[in-house]
Amino acid sequence: MAILRFHAIKESLAYKPVHIEEKERRSELFGKNVFNENTMRQYLTKDAFNGVMNAINLGKKIDRSIADQVSSSMKDWALSKGVTHYTHWFQPLTGATAEKHDAFFETIGGGMAIEKFGGDQLVQQEPDASSFPNGGIRNTFEARGYTAWDPTSPAFIYETTLCIPTIFVAYTGEALDFKTPLLRALNAVDTAATAVCRYFDKNVKKVTSSLGWEQEYFLIDKMLAASRPDIMLTGRTLLGHPAAKGQQLDDHYFGSIPNRALNFMRDLETECMLLGIPVKTRHNEVAPNQFELAPIYEEANLAVDHNSLLMDIMGRVASRHHFKVLFHEKPFIGMNGSGKHNNWSLSTDTGVNLLGPGKTPMSNLQFLTFFINTIKAVYKYEALLRATVASASNDHRLGSSEAPPAIMSVFIGEQLTKVLDELEGVTKGKLSPAEKTELKLNVIGKIPDVLLDNTDRNRTSSFAFTGNKFEFRSVGSTANCGNPMTVLNTIVAKQLQDFKIEVDTLINKKDLKKDEAIFNVLREYIKETKAILFEGNGYGKPWEIEAKKRGLSNNKSTPEALKAKISKESIALFEDMNVMSKVETQARYEIEMEAYSKHIQIEGRVLGDIARNHIVPTAIKYQNILIENVRGLKEIFEEKYHDVSREQVLLIQDISSHIAGINSNVTKMVDERRKANTIEDIEKKALAYCKKVKPLFEDIRYHCDKLELLVDDEIWPLTKYRELLFTR
């Protein structure tokens, strides 16, 4: 391994930036390989085009004759670009994307063949679903599952394959993917938000959820990564002593991007442009070799697809530049982790951002309505929202360095807090003309001015308002955004639905005017949700103690957090909003619990292997060198050798102590793992891995990392942090 390490370092230092030519402007490249509206206008008949657009904008069903026209045109377009295959591209509950490629090629007899792609192949396929996670929805021998075309996310070409975004369901109809519940949640929030919008504008017919994700990641030299079994098998370093220099000088954040990394980014951005992914921002992040890219906001379903596609592409492009991309939330101990902040908002078909203050008191009342209802939704379902970001890898990040803690809280800033405080004092029932004037002119009328000076963000807040959107900062870098977006849009939809019922009741039964009823309901919401609002430092015991007093959950581990997904309230929520059935909800809980146990199991196996088969033999080898040294000193100095060999003997003893610590803790870990594997209850098994197996990782790592400081660098087998993080 030591030979591999130094060979990898030598190879990595020899790499030169890959030459990248950018012959066309980004605007000219954008969407070239996407069957988007512009392309459809060129290839589809008027009837086919209108059919697809009605499906996208109005949710109408596409009949088979239209599907045949679309598939024929899509095939012609793809063939003109050298495409040979097509695939239904979907997002199963593995966390990755899935695809099965079929050729357009079809034999017709007589030794002849044609290119064929009909409406049947476009609309629905039947992949083997036996090996995808299903949470007990179907038996392993029942392999049938269906993928069905999602026309709201345009087909695209990657390399020589036409990729058609689809949903993935069991033959009994239950969702087996991230996209299906997301589409249902987006429909729910559209219906609920549109109904509320009509209090303010009767012309609103549709409300769209928008998402802007920020993808953080590490770029590690491919050869160096290959020399680390833990990185290759788990995506993070299970061992490794922090380098003397890390991120403490703050000299990497927003610094000059290294040439190799910059050329990777340029190459990646070209691929993104061709695929219609509107990436706009790139920069160094806080930790060495950590970076971020972010796109322009898009409709939430499309944004989720684009992020999943981007993560696929990043790995392929990175390989061309001799890099490996690490998406793990905490690949290096003592360094900032990687998140995927989800910036979320709602917009009307009349062009209004519902979370952006307007220019009139009425538009600002609309803003406050959606602003306060979102806060109420987060307060009511904070434990469920926490569950959406729970994973074995994100557990390492939450509450560490600058990431938000496991406690959900909402940051709105000092000025908006003052606005809510003033609204809290609104008179119950009917308002006097003077009070209405005061509210409209001096409270909600001044909101735009307030927000001009309210752009700072609390970096420890889980859910922060940032001027015209909410930023859900707890989402991990490996996550599929479909999970948190499904829940966020569902809880907001439910809350808006409840809000409208309350307002209508006050109007119809209490004879209040519309704005009076709205003010009255919002006033009560402000009082009810004070516990979720937090402006302070989210780290450490003081906030944990305060959060407990406020009745907020603090589920630090995934097994604890995931329980919220199958609470009576959560199951009822998903069923009431037609987002997921009880069976689908419970299946996802089981899938995520099982995934947690498997991730910890894999990490434990890898850690035990490296510790015993790489670290311990190397330590013994160095110990033998020291023993030979002591023997030599004894021959030379005879009875005085104790004085000159004291440090060597102490070093030999230290090494023996750490070897013993490794072996005893690895044995304990293996025993605990065996016990956990005998547990059939999926929740108890996950808790056993969490509470009994995982804690031993730190003990094993402690002894291994101490040996790294003691053993001769020339024979140390694992590439070190300074080499992984500072080889550019």
Side-chain angles (χ1 to χ4, degrees), residues 378-384 386 406-409 528-534 542-555:
V378 173
Y379 170 65
K380 188 175 180 180
Y381 296 103
E382 48 91 13
L384 177 59
R386 160 67 179 99
I407 304 165
M408 291 291 114
S409 66
E528 293 168 13
T529 58
K530 283 183 176 292
I532 199 73
L533 300 178
F534 182 63
W543 170 227
E544 290 186 18
I545 294 169
E546 174 63 22
K548 188 175 182 180
K549 290 179 182 177
R550 297 184 182 198
L552 301 178
S553 63
N554 183 17
N555 297 317

Side-chain angles (χ1 to χ4, degrees), residues 24-43 77-78 80-81 154-158 162 268-279 298 302 306 309:
E24 296 181 72
R25 293 180 179 180
R26 299 290 172 90
S27 58
E28 295 170 343
L29 287 173
F30 188 72
K32 266 193 171 182
N33 289 345
V34 182
F35 199 68
N36 52 26
E37 185 175 336
N38 183 50
T39 306
M40 287 193 291
R41 287 185 186 277
Q42 298 175 45
Y43 280 85
W77 170 71
S80 73
K81 290 181 169 287
F156 58 90
I157 293 170
Y158 191 68
L162 172 66
L268 174 65
E269 287 166 4
T270 297
E271 295 278 6
C272 288
M273 289 299 107
L274 290 169
L275 293 165
I277 305 174
V279 292
E298 299 180 282
L302 183 58
H306 278 167
L309 177 58

Side-chain angles (χ1 to χ4, degrees), residues 321-441:
H321 292 259
H322 310 291
F323 281 125
K324 181 174 178 62
V325 178
L326 301 185
F327 290 116
H328 194 286
E329 283 81 355
K330 200 75 173 176
F332 300 100
I333 193 171
M335 296 289 170
N336 273 22
S338 296
K340 182 161 17 199
H341 302 177
N342 279 205
N343 295 278
W344 171 86
S345 189
L346 296 171
S347 301
T348 69
D349 57 349
T350 57
V352 175
N353 177 2
L354 296 172
L355 290 175
K359 297 179 180 179
T360 67
M362 182 55 73
S363 60
N364 278 336
L365 181 55
Q366 178 175 261
F367 156 70
L368 284 172
T369 296
F370 283 89
F371 176 70
I372 294 169
N373 271 282
T374 300
I375 295 171
K376 176 73 183 296
V378 173
Y379 170 65
K380 188 175 180 180
Y381 296 103
E382 48 91 13
L384 177 59
L385 202 58
R386 160 67 179 99
T388 68
V389 298
S391 68
S393 53
N394 206 26
D395 281 357
H396 294 283
R397 168 179 168 263
L398 295 179
S400 177
S401 293
E402 64 95 46
I407 304 165
M408 291 291 114
S409 66
V410 178
F411 171 81
I412 62 173
E414 182 182 350
Q415 297 301 321
L416 277 171
T417 299
K418 289 180 180 178
V419 171
L420 297 194
D421 288 343
E422 292 191 55
L423 286 175
E424 190 181 348
V426 170
T427 301
K428 188 173 183 179
K430 293 189 176 183
L431 308 180
S432 67
E435 188 172 9
K436 281 187 182 181
T437 302
E438 172 67 18
L439 278 172
K440 290 180 178 179
L441 294 182

